[in-house]
Amino acid sequence: MATVKIGFAPTRRSIFSAPDAIKYAGLTRDRLKELGIEFVDIDDINPEGLLYDDNDVEPIARKFEEAGVKGLFLPHCNFGTEYVCARLAKRLGLPVLLWGPRDERPEPNGIRLRDSQCGLFATGKVLRRFRVPFTYLTNCRLTDPEFEAGLKQFLAVCNVVSTMRRTRILQIGPRPFDFWSTMCNEGELLEKFNIQLSPIPLPELYAEMKKAKEEGVEVKEVMNYCCDNMCIAPSVGENHLENIAALKVAMSRLVKKYGCNAVAIQCWNALQDGIGIMPCAANSLLNEEGIPVVCETDIHGAITAVMAEAAGMDECRTFFADWTVRHPDNENGELLQHCGPWPISVAREKPTIDIPVAFDHTGSVMAEAKHGDMTLCRFDGDEGEYSLLLGHAKGIDGPYTKGTYVWVEVEDLKKLEYKVVTGPYIHHCVGIHKDIVPVLFEACKYLGIKPDLYDSCEEEVERQIYAPNEAK
């Protein structure tokens, strides 16, 4: 599972009880440790270990930056100092979690010690004035289920934002001529999201494959892995399997060479002329290692996969698919399919390497994916505006088809179909066997992307964010 470190900056205001704020900051620290959440404290910045003095903002910011935190947690241990919270949040430019503990009964003399909820209202307004996006977790007790669920969901949001802001995609070859739908604006992706492309020509890939085959050791290990974990069809000769393994090794090396975390490959037809195989099985192997590889040089598809992997906190793999055909019997059923690049851990059966539909070369994976609940999503855009289509699906039974595939049922296929056709989306999507809809929805807030739900209303998803356990 991915590890995300956050900055812990509990806050107080002077007119309320400082001792009670210190007590609640300590209790919150203890709860974070109990939950196994990695955080950087400010207990060395001032004697109280609390955020309330404007002079402490810069030292705290520097400490958090040097520690590499990916989010800022602002527990309001009493009312809090809202403008100092906002200045720190603005300075860091990270996802922000706003929360405060439930207030106890007033003292017998009518004195209230904290007024944490009231302070949350104030800080929320000031953060808006500073144009700082933030995540709100409902005013609850440290022991309430919402606290744990909300913290862990926020960590996943931080992981998506951090990953997106440092994404670099290895682009192997230009898009196939026929795929006008996968064109993208490279400069705009860099300007808006800091997403960088590392384009290389196919001959550079072939040269790396040749080098890997001459060295032999890694290629042999991959060949053995394929034989142990997949069925090898008669169409796959020894030379084909060697090329599959060499392609996987070559792509892995090029990912490291160019500092990338995803790949988009021109998978047909020049590649088949060059190495005599489909790249799907090699793609599958890299996908299994958590390096998303997508087909037809679909850069937006690679970005979608990166977001979904990060939202899933590395707990399960994603799969890249076509919306393909409607189910013959289920009015809300649809076939998700691709030639064969899905990771083998997604399969419900032992996969086979063979010849895919519509092509003459071997090298694709054949397997039906596991059923169960899934999230489906697609990042895309045009005319300078970007959005993320997302929603839920569940695997269902359906006719056999070649390649990697799964039939899914959604709440309203006609609505989904309309959104895909009218755009800005295309026929590609990314799936994962996990509910990451709230995480992706909230991450969009920090990334300047419009969330576009195909099966839920915004109010339902927002409730899963501020009161996650209750919503489930």
Side-chain angles (χ1 to χ4, degrees), residues 5 41 51 62 66 89 99 136 249 265 335-336 344:
K5 188 188 303 179
D41 211 334
L51 173 64
R62 285 199 304 269
E66 290 169 3
W99 167 85
Y136 179 65
V249 172
I265 185 169
L335 174 64
L336 298 182
I344 62 174

Side-chain angles (χ1 to χ4, degrees), residues 41 44 54 76 86 115 118 133 168 195 256 258 261 274 294 308 352 361 383 394 406 451:
D41 211 334
D44 59 336
D54 196 32
H76 279 46
D115 278 18
C118 190
R168 192 180 298 171
I195 291 172
K256 293 175 183 175
Y258 290 100
N261 59 332
V294 303
T352 298
H361 293 80
E383 300 185 8
K394 63 178 181 180
V406 64

